[in-house]
Amino acid sequence: MRATGLEVADIFRQAGPRYREQHATALSCGQRGVMSAIERCRTAALGGHVEQCDACGHQRIAFNSCRNRHCPKCQSLVRAQWLEDRQADLLPVEYFHVVFTLPEVVAAIAYQNKAVVYDLLFRATAETLRTIAADPKHLGAEIGFIAILHTWGQNLLHHPHLHCLVPGGGLSADGERWISCRPGFFLPVRVLSRLFRRLFLEQFQRAFDAGDLHFYHALEELQAPAAFARYLAPVRKTEWVVYAKPPFGGPRQVLEYLGRYTHRVAISNNRLINFADDQVRFRWKDYRHESRPKVMQLAADEFIRRFLLHVLPSGFQRIRHYGFLANRYRAVKLERCRQLLAEPAPIIPVPDAPLDYRDRYQLLTGKSLRDCPKCGQGHMVCIETFLPGTLPRGPPEKR
């Protein structure tokens, strides 16, 4: 298969049937659903419509998208809308990016208990940041932040971690002052790391004691309390990875950065190089060697297996807001932050009438879906729709 235009969907369509057959008992309903959605995305299986240019008569078929959150082709519009909504939350302060990572031995259990352990990761991270920030020895303020779950590394292996975007300061306990971080410094990483380790392991042990964790295959022996304790003993003493990146330059850089993290999937189509002789080659960065760019080659079955490692439980919320950015209090507390910072709320234009998806896409991304790709003068107008599993009534001559 040629490299140009290669998509994850192409690999799934060609190698997916064999993978389903060989791993029938191991695939979850969620993983099967993701495979099916990606394979059907923007094909006749989902239906679509025919558009025609009102100037030159050029026609094209536009198939419907699957809208699955794991699909590499379905994130641009929802990402743009989410970022548009976040503009109203930005404050005129430094922003910091803090990453909390689970050790490999814990990540192995997390894969078999995704909903439980990923939720613990969110809870322990949130409690760590809020506790250290509220301590007068460090900041002495109520902070707000966004936490975004990623479960992959560049090599597609299971690597659960949280990206946290945090304004550099917060509200005093009485809500009467804005307390800023020291320029260029948020909170001490080692202190964050050790509290995060303690809080997570305490909550992890409680989940085990309550019978909320389940163990299969190579981890089955961990059902015994003594074996579970021995398994975790090494990570109780090691330093857990918490990394704070340098602050951003301003609100615009914050939004641009957020756009690279919020609605990502395990691998984007533009990282794929080629798929031939049942081998998939793709670009990756080796962060253990100074982010050196490399090319990885995997058998198609292994590529699919790694991709499916990152299918989230149905309904699991992978972007969460905390502190003064929590949904329940956001409007009131952000208004108070702006009063203390003497910064008016940003003005977000509201359209006079509801927009269809093409107008909304252009407003959010600046790219037009209406302009004719052939003559560039006319607009594409819908002239026919067709249902899933069907095709247009006849192939347009100028399509």
Side-chain angles (χ1 to χ4, degrees), residues 41-56:
C41 186
R42 299 185 190 178
T43 69
L46 297 183
H49 60 273
V50 180
E51 297 177 330
Q52 179 173 295
C53 175
D54 59 10
C56 70

Side-chain angles (χ1 to χ4, degrees), residues 138-354:
H138 299 293
L139 185 61
E142 177 193 2
I143 60 172
F145 55 97
I146 301 171
I148 305 159
L149 173 68
H150 282 188
T151 63
W152 56 84
Q154 282 271 307
N155 56 9
L156 295 186
L157 291 175
H158 191 230
H159 179 62
H161 55 285
L162 280 190
H163 295 271
C164 299
L165 189 77
V166 195
L171 293 167
S172 61
D174 59 7
E176 296 300 316
R177 291 181 299 128
W178 173 266
I179 302 174
S180 295
C181 296
R182 296 186 348 229
F185 179 82
F186 177 51
L187 293 170
V189 169
R190 178 166 291 187
V191 175
L192 290 172
S193 172
R194 292 181 177 178
L195 180 59
F196 171 58
R197 178 183 63 188
R198 178 172 67 81
L199 291 174
F200 182 90
L201 289 175
E202 288 175 355
Q203 296 175 20
F204 202 41
Q205 184 66 51
R206 286 197 291 269
F208 177 83
D209 294 339
D212 294 334
L213 299 178
H214 304 281
F215 306 95
Y216 308 97
H217 309 300
L219 300 181
E220 192 170 359
E221 66 177 17
L222 300 185
Q223 296 177 72
F228 183 74
R230 286 195 302 271
Y231 183 81
L232 291 182
V235 297
R236 295 183 185 278
K237 301 175 183 178
T238 58
E239 294 290 339
W240 287 29
V241 177
V242 176
Y243 176 64
K245 295 188 176 183
F248 299 94
R252 181 180 297 276
Q253 287 83 355
V254 172
L255 277 182
E256 290 175 356
Y257 195 80
L258 263 178
R260 299 203 299 268
Y261 278 89
T262 53
H263 294 80
R264 261 188 181 174
V265 299
I267 187 170
S268 59
N269 288 326
N270 60 18
R271 284 178 55 198
L272 299 175
I273 298 174
N274 64 9
F275 176 35
D277 300 323
D278 202 42
Q279 300 290 312
V280 181
R281 297 175 68 243
F282 62 92
R283 301 177 188 86
W284 69 295
K285 293 180 181 178
D286 187 351
Y287 290 124
R288 295 186 178 182
H289 295 88
E290 301 177 344
S291 299
R292 186 178 303 165
K294 296 183 177 181
V295 172
M296 181 167 290
Q297 179 170 303
L298 298 175
D301 278 11
E302 176 62 11
F303 177 86
I304 293 175
R305 185 193 75 85
R306 293 193 188 189
F307 187 95
L308 295 179
L309 291 175
H310 312 293
V311 173
L312 294 175
S314 177
F316 189 87
Q317 189 176 0
R318 63 179 294 267
I319 303 176
R320 304 186 186 185
H321 301 75
Y322 295 94
F324 63 70
L325 289 178
N327 295 335
R328 187 175 180 181
Y329 308 107
R330 181 187 301 152
V332 172
K333 293 202 172 185
L334 274 177
E335 177 60 28
R336 184 57 179 155
C337 291
R338 292 194 181 96
Q339 290 174 0
L340 297 173
L341 290 165
E343 175 74 12
I347 299 174
I348 308 297
V350 178
D352 297 329

Side-chain angles (χ1 to χ4, degrees), residues 111-122:
Y111 180 69
Q112 297 185 359
N113 299 270
K114 289 182 177 181
V116 173
V117 180
Y118 293 167
D119 191 60
L120 291 182
L121 173 58
F122 273 106

